[in-house]
Amino acid sequence: MNPSPSSTTPSSTTPSSTTASSTIPLSAAAPAAPAKGGRYARLPLLAGRSFIPLGLFARLPLAMLTVGALTLVTAVSGSYAVGGAAAGAVGIGSALGAPVLGALADRLGQRPVLLVSAVFNTVAVTALILAAYLVPGSRELAAALPVLAAAFVAGASCPQVGPLARVRWMALSSGPAGGRPGDLDTALSYESTADELTFVLGPALVGVLASLVAPWLPLALAAALTLTLVPAFAVHPTHRAVPLTPARSSAAAGAARDQRQALPAGQRAAAFAAVALPVLAMVCMGTFFGATQTSLSSFAGSFGTAELAGLLYAVMGLSSAAAALSVAYWPSRFCVRGRWLACAALMTGLAALLLLPSTALPMILVLLVLGLPVGPLMVTVFAIGGQVAPAGKLGTVMTALASGIVAGTAVGSSIAGQLAQNLGYSAAFLVPVGAAAALFLLGAAAAVVLRRQAERRRPAASPAASA
């Protein structure tokens, strides 16, 4: 049985974590767990009390950016098409820029990458606000190209606080002084809950500020938060726990390439699939999110109460966040492969219930139970991503997983929007059902790949164990 991340450190992160623990006195920051307080009381001991609120609120601008761009550009241009294109440009920029920022963080360290991206993103968001008001004739897509370009750059440069926080937790929880069974699952459960809360709070905050004050205020607030909180997160001492990936000489790079090419084709394909399957799963997860939100807008709009769609979606987000917290208490013998399959199967069955309600109250009940497998599935896929990430590429893989959600959200919103427009909300709800089913199929494929990887490692580990 493949070990759960809660019971063993992911093999791909063990060397780097050992390096970090040999240079950083983590034991000073990780005293013994208190007798009371439960597993989540361990987190401030591992990372420090200030890390949790910093990591929570520093990711809020990302949650506000897409909806903020949609709200501002639509309000100023008077065109839903231009506003939607601006939101799409933010999403595409984030999906493309996140892995680049992750790779740079692996090579250069999180602190300089986060500091530079915080400043650059603040400038880009400011440029987006100015372009929305100053570009003439922005009601037409062709005339709005400067606005769309600013939105793309704002998305591409947005600091990836959530994925890089997960990288820090993986390093902190795997050290010999700080690592205990359950620490990694606890940290990843908290991170998924933090993502859920910010992506519920962010759009709600945008709606309140834009309607009560001005449509530019949400983006201005996001820029201010980025400029203040992201640098504080960047310089937090936990960044020292994450080792750098040293730059390789051309000879070393050539030797590594020859070594990879010397592997059998099946092993190379399996190594690629081990990373690609979690990324594709996050694309499906984003498709589920985007399609559900768009379908709920059409559902609520059929009663003339489209503004309730956000509140309906928040019901699923809150139950998902609560369920994600529970993963820390799941038994370690429930391995990540089994968790993926079980959660995806339950999610598929519950998503089919979206086709049944015709009024708001039954839909609230469906969304409440539908969120229960969503949070644990996100925790599980992120845990598998950390387990299969190549050495020195943890930041790249974590940001690729996060960007998969962003890209999938855009895909799901687009497909469900077309179906809702032409065939009604019932047809649109078929998209999240299909996304959940795809998650189950990807989980089945991942189970095969992970089991074969474990079987290949076991014989190699046996001689060392017997010695």
Side-chain angles (χ1 to χ4, degrees), residues 7-88:
S7 59
T8 183
T9 302
S11 59
S12 60
T13 59
T14 302
S16 59
S17 301
T18 303
T19 303
S21 62
S22 64
T23 57
I24 303 299
L26 292 178
S27 57
K36 298 181 180 180
R39 294 191 176 190
Y40 287 96
R42 286 276 301 161
L43 298 185
L45 298 176
L46 286 173
R49 293 185 181 277
S50 62
F51 180 72
I52 291 178
L54 271 179
L56 176 63
F57 292 105
R59 76 187 73 192
L60 188 58
L62 178 60
M64 299 172 63
L65 190 54
T66 301
V67 180
L70 172 65
T71 303
L72 171 66
V73 176
T74 300
V76 174
S77 67
S79 170
Y80 287 107
V82 177

Side-chain angles (χ1 to χ4, degrees), residues 119-209:
V119 175
F120 195 81
N121 184 252
T122 302
V123 174
V125 173
T126 303
L128 173 58
I129 296 172
L130 294 176
Y133 282 100
L134 298 180
V135 171
S138 59
R139 187 179 180 86
E140 301 296 331
L141 281 174
L145 286 179
V147 178
L148 302 183
F152 176 85
V153 175
S157 61
C158 195
Q160 298 297 310
V161 173
L164 296 182
R166 286 181 171 88
V167 173
R168 296 191 191 188
W169 284 119
M170 289 178 179
L172 291 168
S173 63
S174 63
R180 291 192 177 190
D183 280 350
L184 183 56
D185 266 349
T186 303
L188 293 181
S189 298
Y190 159 74
E191 284 296 317
S192 291
T193 301
D195 283 342
E196 293 280 2
L197 291 177
T198 53
F199 277 96
V200 169
L201 178 61
L205 189 59
V206 169
V208 171
L209 294 177

Side-chain angles (χ1 to χ4, degrees), residues 248-322:
R248 292 187 296 185
S249 63
S250 57
R257 184 171 57 252
D258 293 340
Q259 185 178 10
R260 288 194 301 269
Q261 292 176 349
L263 291 174
Q267 290 189 21
R268 292 200 305 269
F272 174 79
V275 177
L277 286 171
V279 174
L280 288 174
M282 284 309 192
V283 174
C284 292
M285 184 68 76
T287 302
F288 175 85
F289 290 149
T292 301
Q293 191 167 24
T294 302
S295 302
L296 287 174
S297 297
S298 177
F299 174 82
S302 66
F303 308 112
T305 56
E307 64 274 7
L308 292 180
L311 296 177
L312 290 173
Y313 187 74
V315 171
M316 187 182 74
L318 293 176
S319 64
S320 173

